[in-house]
Amino acid sequence: MIWHYDAKYYENGQVKWTPFDPNGSRQTVINYYPSGSKHVQHDLWRMQRVGPYIEYYENGIVKVNGCYTDGEFIGYDVRGNKKTGKWSFYDESGKLIKEEWYENNVLLKTQNYCPQILHHKSKLRRFPRRKFQLLKAKINPQF
């Protein structure tokens, strides 16, 4: 059976995602916000993410930029969806806040560029520098 995914739309008529054939060749899929601006752009090959991955804020600024390994055939199946290389994370103004390096979906290194920001359950929390140092000292007494 061959599946085809048609474009989906929000109630306001804006496109949710572009049409694609999950059993076909590698193709670019784009997801959109209800406002019509891009949300995510990535390549799919047999329902596996492969190649470049870009996620945007609703204002059009890049939020995440990275790459997935190209898929490989194992029998009749394609194995992809593994982060590789450098992944960059930006705030809503476009300022680089973090970089991560991966190999076959294994995190090798993280570099934070904004020390006043702590990630807690995927929400950004800002602290004045002194409070951040005190909090870090409580978490890591060797600080």
Side-chain angles (χ1 to χ4, degrees), residues 2 9 49 53 55 70 86 97-98 101 111 127:
I2 297 177
Y9 298 89
R49 286 185 181 142
Y53 174 89
E55 188 174 339
D70 283 343
K86 181 172 76 169
I97 56 174
K98 181 171 74 166
W101 286 265
Q111 176 69 48
F127 292 93

Side-chain angles (χ1 to χ4, degrees), residues 36-55:
S37 60
K38 278 187 192 177
H39 181 210
V40 176
Q41 179 176 336
H42 59 90
D43 289 356
L44 280 182
W45 186 35
R46 298 196 179 206
M47 295 304 291
Q48 299 288 314
R49 286 185 181 142
V50 293
Y53 174 89
I54 305 171
E55 188 174 339

Side-chain angles (χ1 to χ4, degrees), residues 14 22 41 45 55 67 72 74 80 82 86 89 94 97 112 117 125 142:
Q14 291 291 343
Q41 179 176 336
W45 186 35
E55 188 174 339
C67 190
E72 58 180 303
I74 299 177
K82 292 181 181 175
K86 181 172 76 169
F89 300 83
I97 56 174
N112 288 309
I117 296 178
R125 299 170 71 194
Q142 298 171 351

Side-chain angles (χ1 to χ4, degrees), residues 44-98:
L44 280 182
W45 186 35
R46 298 196 179 206
M47 295 304 291
Q48 299 288 314
R49 286 185 181 142
V50 293
Y53 174 89
I54 305 171
E55 188 174 339
Y56 300 89
Y57 288 104
E58 197 160 1
N59 64 7
I61 301 289
V62 173
K63 182 178 185 178
V64 179
N65 190 0
C67 190
Y68 285 96
T69 56
D70 283 343
E72 58 180 303
F73 271 109
I74 299 177
Y76 292 101
D77 199 8
V78 175
R79 299 286 185 217
N81 276 351
K82 292 181 181 175
K83 290 181 178 181
T84 187
K86 181 172 76 169
W87 283 66
S88 303
F89 300 83
Y90 303 89
D91 66 11
E92 288 189 40
S93 67
K95 181 180 174 189
L96 181 65
I97 56 174
K98 181 171 74 166

